[in-house]
Amino acid sequence: MRTLDGKVAVVTGSSRGLGRAIAVKLASLGAKVVVNYHSNHSAAEETLRLIHAAGGEAIVIQADVSVFAEAQRLIQTTLERFGRLDILVNNAGTTRDGLLAMMTEKDWDLVLDTNLKSVFSCSRAAQRPMLKQRYGRIVNITSVAGLAGNAGQTNYAAAKAGIIGFTKALAKEIGPRNITVNAVAPGYIPTDLSSTIPPELVAKGLSMAPLGRPGTPEDVANTVAFLASDEANYITGQTLAVDGGLVMSA
């Protein structure tokens, strides 16, 4: 028996990058997966194809999870299709980097809404069925930027730090109902989202990390899968850095 057989998982922002790797990993362990995307339908279909090719089960649902009503629709559609929800991975995110002196209100709001408000919206919608069944696993994708800060990313760092605080607070609220809430903080993982980071900054960061190399989406996916499994049923309110040791040296 695979570790997630019989479980249903929603992975937000899973059309590509970390989200795709997480969705594929959870499906490989037996979970029925909802692949969520905002605008890139063809990329979401590719995630679906990869899951099906590996013998997994998944569906695709479009929703802008920074909008509360859309997040509610995502969770409700999941319940209508699969009858339950066991795992929520809040992965949706974006960046609009720039020094604070040059940052627009629009770029601030977009990053906070996409990265932080989406965690509120999806978690609030998902907690009702989880509370009812007295079981659930919520895993929030934050960043080492939320732990150590990063120049040129005040909006992103604020959102990701907010996720860490949210994780701890919600873990205390719903832990008595056998629902765990944890966060994963990736370091430098080459994806489309991280492709805008200047090469010199990447090199500097990697030189500071004890392992001295980038991670992979699969490194993050493996960690999420562990926290989503019953093997981690006594872990809650934690933030686990998957960063090659970078945050220790920041």
Side-chain angles (χ1 to χ4, degrees), residues 225-237:
F226 167 67
L227 291 173
S229 75
D230 288 342
E231 293 175 345
N233 63 9
Y234 201 55
I235 300 173
T236 196

Side-chain angles (χ1 to χ4, degrees), residues 94-96 105-115:
T94 192
T95 57
R96 291 295 187 277
E105 182 181 4
K106 180 179 179 181
D107 284 349
W108 174 271
D109 288 345
L110 177 65
V111 170
L112 267 291
D113 285 349
T114 304
N115 291 276

Side-chain angles (χ1 to χ4, degrees), residues 75-151:
I75 300 304
Q76 183 58 38
T77 305
T78 299
L79 295 173
E80 290 170 358
R81 176 62 186 269
F82 293 118
R84 62 184 294 118
L85 173 61
D86 303 285
I87 301 161
L88 170 65
V89 182
N90 285 308
N91 168 75
T94 192
T95 57
R96 291 295 187 277
D97 295 349
L99 296 176
L100 182 62
M102 305 294 290
M103 187 173 294
T104 65
E105 182 181 4
K106 180 179 179 181
D107 284 349
W108 174 271
D109 288 345
L110 177 65
V111 170
L112 267 291
D113 285 349
T114 304
N115 291 276
L116 182 56
K117 185 183 175 186
S118 63
V119 176
F120 154 75
S121 297
C122 291
S123 299
R124 188 173 184 277
Q127 75 168 7
R128 176 172 291 183
M130 290 182 176
L131 289 168
K132 185 176 181 180
Q133 66 197 22
R134 301 185 72 88
Y135 179 91
R137 300 285 182 265
I138 297 175
V139 184
N140 300 319
I141 305 302
T142 179
S143 168
V144 293
L147 291 166
N150 198 21

Side-chain angles (χ1 to χ4, degrees), residues 8-227:
V8 175
V10 169
V11 184
T12 69
S14 48
S15 62
R16 55 185 179 169
L18 297 183
R20 173 180 287 176
I22 292 166
V24 171
K25 180 64 178 183
L26 297 183
S28 76
L29 295 175
K32 299 178 178 68
V33 176
V34 174
V35 176
N36 161 252
Y37 75 101
H38 178 201
S39 58
N40 196 334
H41 178 75
S42 62
E45 287 292 329
E46 176 61 15
T47 302
L48 187 67
R49 186 194 69 77
L50 291 170
I51 291 172
H52 287 167
E57 182 176 350
I59 61 172
V60 170
I61 300 177
Q62 187 281 332
D64 178 357
V65 291
S66 70
V67 178
F68 183 59
E70 290 283 288
Q72 288 184 305
R73 177 175 61 80
L74 170 64
I75 300 304
Q76 183 58 38
T77 305
T78 299
L79 295 173
E80 290 170 358
R81 176 62 186 269
F82 293 118
R84 62 184 294 118
L85 173 61
D86 303 285
I87 301 161
L88 170 65
V89 182
N90 285 308
N91 168 75
T94 192
T95 57
R96 291 295 187 277
D97 295 349
L99 296 176
L100 182 62
M102 305 294 290
M103 187 173 294
T104 65
E105 182 181 4
K106 180 179 179 181
D107 284 349
W108 174 271
D109 288 345
L110 177 65
V111 170
L112 267 291
D113 285 349
T114 304
N115 291 276
L116 182 56
K117 185 183 175 186
S118 63
V119 176
F120 154 75
S121 297
C122 291
S123 299
R124 188 173 184 277
Q127 75 168 7
R128 176 172 291 183
M130 290 182 176
L131 289 168
K132 185 176 181 180
Q133 66 197 22
R134 301 185 72 88
Y135 179 91
R137 300 285 182 265
I138 297 175
V139 184
N140 300 319
I141 305 302
T142 179
S143 168
V144 293
L147 291 166
N150 198 21
Q153 288 191 316
T154 52
N155 49 4
Y156 186 75
K160 292 302 188 178
I163 289 173
I164 294 171
F166 178 97
T167 296
K168 294 176 181 295
L170 186 60
K172 291 180 178 181
E173 287 185 15
I174 60 180
R177 290 296 187 95
N178 193 34
I179 303 168
T180 64
V181 189
N182 291 290
V184 174
Y188 178 67
I189 313 288
T191 64
D192 289 347
L193 191 63
S194 63
S195 64
T196 60
I197 301 175
E200 61 273 16
L201 292 183
V202 173
K204 180 181 178 181
L206 293 178
S207 71
M208 294 170 61
L211 293 186
R213 59 174 173 81
T216 67
E218 289 70 30
D219 290 327
V220 178
N222 291 338
T223 305
V224 171
F226 167 67
L227 291 173

